[in-house]
């Protein structure tokens, strides 16, 4: 996540700002690789937490069922191609393959942005979640709800990094 567009949603802008914080990208990638986390869904849950909104595991499952088909048809295949080109087949020269890889990376980022814009539209269409006591309570609850919904154990250090960055972002400390 590197660029923002003038007409981007508040959710996309939150995601860009949050993802740029120290350690967040690595923590998100660790959660993605180790536990099957959709980083966009995690960011969505945190964005809602910033508004003191919390979700139950069943509500996270509904969100997953709505966004999963797009992710599976676009983001994951593009990511696979980009990763495969880190060490390109010998047929194409390294510099040319890297230019192509960067184009794939840009298309992957656009697929993620489109996913996030559609997720933002979901939040505008109907109220989601319920009120929590605070944004940090909501953030912890939403991460736990996502973990429960996936039936996975999230890396404690990755979760700690993400939650610390969230709290820092929302308290300005």
């Amino acid at each position: 996540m590197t660029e923002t567009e003038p007409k981007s949603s508040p959710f996309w802008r939150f995601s860009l700002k949050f993802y740029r914080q120290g350690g967040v990208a690595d923590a998100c990638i660790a959660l993605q690789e180790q536990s099957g986390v959709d980083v966009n869904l995690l960011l969505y849950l945190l964005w809602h937490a910033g508004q003191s909104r919390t979700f139950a595991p069943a509500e996270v499952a509904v969100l997953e069922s709505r966004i999963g088909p797009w992710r599976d048809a676009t983001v994951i295949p593009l990511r696979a191609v980009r990763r495969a080109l880190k060490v390109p087949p010998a047929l194409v020269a390294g510099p040319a393959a890297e230019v192509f890889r960067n184009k794939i990376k840009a298309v992957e980022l656009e697929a993620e942005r489109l996913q996030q814009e559609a997720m933002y539209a979901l939040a505008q269409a109907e109220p989601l979640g319920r009120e929590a006591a605070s944004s940090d309570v909501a953030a912890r609850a939403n991460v736990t709800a996502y973990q429960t919904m996936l039936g996975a154990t999230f890396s404690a250090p990755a979760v700690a990094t993400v939650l610390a960055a969230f709290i820092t972002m929302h308290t300005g400390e």
Side-chain angles (χ1 to χ4, degrees), residues 31-53:
L31 291 168
Q32 177 181 284
E33 297 301 315
Q34 297 166 8
S35 303
V37 166
D38 178 327
V39 173
N40 283 331
L41 181 51
L42 176 65
L43 294 172
Y44 191 67
L45 294 171
L46 292 172
W47 177 66
H48 277 283
Q51 302 161 51
S52 297
R53 304 297 295 171

Side-chain angles (χ1 to χ4, degrees), residues 4 8 18 29 41-43 48 55 60 64 66 91 103 115 120 134 154 162 164 168:
T4 185
S8 62
F18 184 75
I29 291 168
L41 181 51
L42 176 65
L43 294 172
H48 277 283
F55 292 81
V60 178
E64 167 59 29
R66 305 236 356 231
L91 178 66
K103 288 179 182 178
Q115 178 181 336
Y120 177 74
S134 68
F154 290 1
V162 166
T168 297

